[in-house]
């Protein structure tokens, strides 16, 4: 009897490790009556949020990479489309980092709480040699946000997702515009982050991924901007009221995620009837 129990436990452990599920099937006995039996078979998880390791779907992620500012300090527009300047990398690109926690809510949907921070910078020196036409800024920012993620594929091996949400970006801006304003300012901007990404399992409950995003502010005013433009001149008048566009920045980074383990009994869950 002891050996039978040991073999049964080993068999259940192997099924749990392989991610098997139990299905109830009906068989006809010799006397013509139906009998219910639980049959084990391999079946992928139906929710793209969950991993092959039977994780709970709760995911902690660290992310880091490069960002690219776009807004009023660029001239004559988005540098990548308005003619790439020779110093575009040093003039418009910087770095960021992010920590986030994702919770599954329904089937292929998840809600992620994020805290993003880093540095933004830009200038238009490549296009303007006259100091009275030059604009420049650098800032350190922090952006708490909440996003909704959608995983369109059911296969657990495909971790592609898209996301969008809402946040607020606080910027400590050091700027110099048109040789008129020169100083540091505190700005707060409502922001819409959106983008896409993909993750790849690399070890038990760990994933490595790539994330591409855009963070678009909703207003561009003296009170709300990323670059300190529009600004107040020495006479107190707001300069640059007709801003061409609201500020924003692109991000591209590498993610490292940990999927928390399921705290309920795996074997008990496998034995559910379908």
């Amino acid at each position: 009897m002891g050996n039978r129990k040991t073999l049964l436990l080993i068999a259940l452990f192997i099924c749990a490790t392989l991610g098997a599920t139990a299905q109830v099937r009906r068989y006809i006995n010799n006397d013509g009556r139906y009998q219910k039996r639980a049959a084990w078979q391999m079946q992928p998880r139906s929710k793209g949020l969950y991993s092959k390791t039977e994780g709970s779907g709760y995911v902690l992620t660290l992310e880091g990479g490069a960002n690219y500012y776009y807004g009023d300090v660029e001239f004559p527009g988005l540098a990548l489309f308005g003619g790439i300047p020779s110093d575009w990398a040093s003039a418009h690109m910087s770095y960021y980092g992010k920590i986030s926690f994702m919770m599954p809510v329904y089937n292929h949907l998840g809600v992620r709480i994020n805290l993003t921070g880093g540095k933004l910078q830009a200038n238009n020196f490549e296009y303007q040699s006259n100091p009275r036409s030059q604009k420049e800024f650098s800032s350190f920012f922090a952006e708490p946000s909440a996003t909704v993620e959608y995983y369109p594929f059911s296969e657990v091996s495909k971790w592609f997702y898209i996301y969008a949400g809402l946040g607020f970006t606080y910027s400590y801006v050091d700027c110099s515009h048109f040789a008129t304003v020169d100083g540091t300012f505190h700005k707060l901007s409502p922001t819409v982050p959106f983008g896409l990404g993909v993750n790849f399992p690399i070890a038990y409950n760990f994933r490595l991924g790539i994330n591409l995003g855009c963070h678009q502010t909703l207003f561009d005013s003296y009170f709300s901007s990323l670059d300190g433009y529009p600004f107040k001149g020495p006479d107190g008048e707001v300069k640059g009221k007709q801003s061409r566009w609201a500020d924003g920045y692109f991000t591209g980074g590498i993610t490292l995620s940990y999927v928390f383990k399921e705290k309920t009994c795996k074997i008990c869950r496998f034995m559910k009837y379908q």
Side-chain angles (χ1 to χ4, degrees), residues 262-273:
E262 187 74 78
K263 295 188 180 300
T264 58
C265 172
K266 293 182 181 180
I267 297 177
C268 300
R269 188 170 63 253
F270 289 153
M271 296 303 295
K272 290 180 180 179
Y273 286 168

Side-chain angles (χ1 to χ4, degrees), residues 47-55 59 151 155-161 197-210 255-259:
K47 299 183 179 181
L49 295 175
Y50 294 171
S51 72
K52 292 179 179 178
T53 57
E54 299 298 335
V59 182
Y151 293 75
E155 295 87 350
V156 293
S157 60
K158 297 181 179 179
W159 284 90
F160 172 79
Y161 61 92
V198 63
N199 290 294
F200 306 96
I202 56 174
Y204 189 72
N205 279 39
F206 281 94
R207 306 196 312 245
L208 188 66
I210 300 173
T255 63
L256 178 63
S257 302
Y258 177 79
V259 182

Side-chain angles (χ1 to χ4, degrees), residues 22-27 34-41 273:
Q23 288 188 336
V24 175
R25 297 179 179 178
R26 297 199 304 172
Y27 296 89
Y34 284 108
Q35 179 182 0
K36 289 185 178 181
R37 294 181 183 177
W40 295 92
Q41 73 170 28
Y273 286 168

Side-chain angles (χ1 to χ4, degrees), residues 183-194:
T184 56
F185 304 91
H186 303 277
K187 303 292 182 180
L188 185 63
S189 305
T191 306
V192 175
F194 59 93

Side-chain angles (χ1 to χ4, degrees), residues 200-242:
F200 306 96
I202 56 174
Y204 189 72
N205 279 39
F206 281 94
R207 306 196 312 245
L208 188 66
I210 300 173
N211 186 293
L212 301 176
C214 179
H215 300 247
Q216 175 65 58
T217 61
L218 299 180
F219 304 104
D220 197 8
S221 68
Y222 169 69
F223 298 100
S224 177
S225 71
L226 296 179
D227 51 21
Y229 186 94
F231 62 92
K232 278 188 178 180
D235 57 359
E237 183 181 357
V238 176
K239 308 290 185 179
K241 294 179 181 179
Q242 291 78 30

Side-chain angles (χ1 to χ4, degrees), residues 13-237:
F13 176 78
I14 292 175
C15 291
T17 304
L18 294 176
T21 57
Q23 288 188 336
V24 175
R25 297 179 179 178
R26 297 199 304 172
Y27 296 89
I28 300 178
N29 293 336
N30 293 331
D31 58 3
R33 292 181 301 173
Y34 284 108
Q35 179 182 0
K36 289 185 178 181
R37 294 181 183 177
W40 295 92
Q41 73 170 28
M42 291 298 298
Q43 179 176 325
R45 296 293 295 266
S46 62
K47 299 183 179 181
L49 295 175
Y50 294 171
S51 72
K52 292 179 179 178
T53 57
E54 299 298 335
S56 64
Y58 294 93
V59 182
L60 179 66
T61 301
L62 296 177
E63 179 180 340
N67 60 42
Y68 177 95
Y69 157 88
Y70 62 88
D72 298 308
V73 175
E74 277 191 271
F75 185 87
L78 187 62
L80 292 179
F81 298 100
I84 299 178
S86 59
D87 65 342
W88 72 277
S90 60
H92 299 90
M93 294 188 68
S94 193
Y95 58 87
Y96 79 99
K98 180 166 72 174
I99 183 171
S100 62
F101 184 75
M102 195 271 288
M103 300 163 287
V105 291
Y106 180 74
N107 287 343
H108 299 267
L109 292 178
V111 172
R112 186 180 294 272
I113 306 301
N114 313 276
L115 179 59
T116 307
K119 182 181 179 181
L120 296 172
Q121 62 183 13
N123 66 65
N124 66 346
F125 298 164
E126 182 82 5
Y127 307 101
Q128 299 290 344
S129 58
N130 187 341
R132 293 193 173 276
S133 300
Q134 292 180 343
K135 293 183 286 186
E136 178 184 21
F137 91 99
S138 65
S139 70
F140 290 97
F141 72 93
E143 180 186 301
S145 64
T147 55
V148 176
E149 296 184 355
Y150 174 61
Y151 293 75
F153 301 111
S154 60
E155 295 87 350
V156 293
S157 60
K158 297 181 179 179
W159 284 90
F160 172 79
Y161 61 92
I162 57 177
Y163 65 91
L166 181 65
F168 288 89
T169 305
Y170 164 77
S171 301
Y172 180 70
V173 184
D174 185 354
C175 62
S176 176
H177 300 321
F178 301 140
T180 301
V181 60
D182 190 352
T184 56
F185 304 91
H186 303 277
K187 303 292 182 180
L188 185 63
S189 305
T191 306
V192 175
F194 59 93
L196 54 87
V198 63
N199 290 294
F200 306 96
I202 56 174
Y204 189 72
N205 279 39
F206 281 94
R207 306 196 312 245
L208 188 66
I210 300 173
N211 186 293
L212 301 176
C214 179
H215 300 247
Q216 175 65 58
T217 61
L218 299 180
F219 304 104
D220 197 8
S221 68
Y222 169 69
F223 298 100
S224 177
S225 71
L226 296 179
D227 51 21
Y229 186 94
F231 62 92
K232 278 188 178 180
D235 57 359
E237 183 181 357

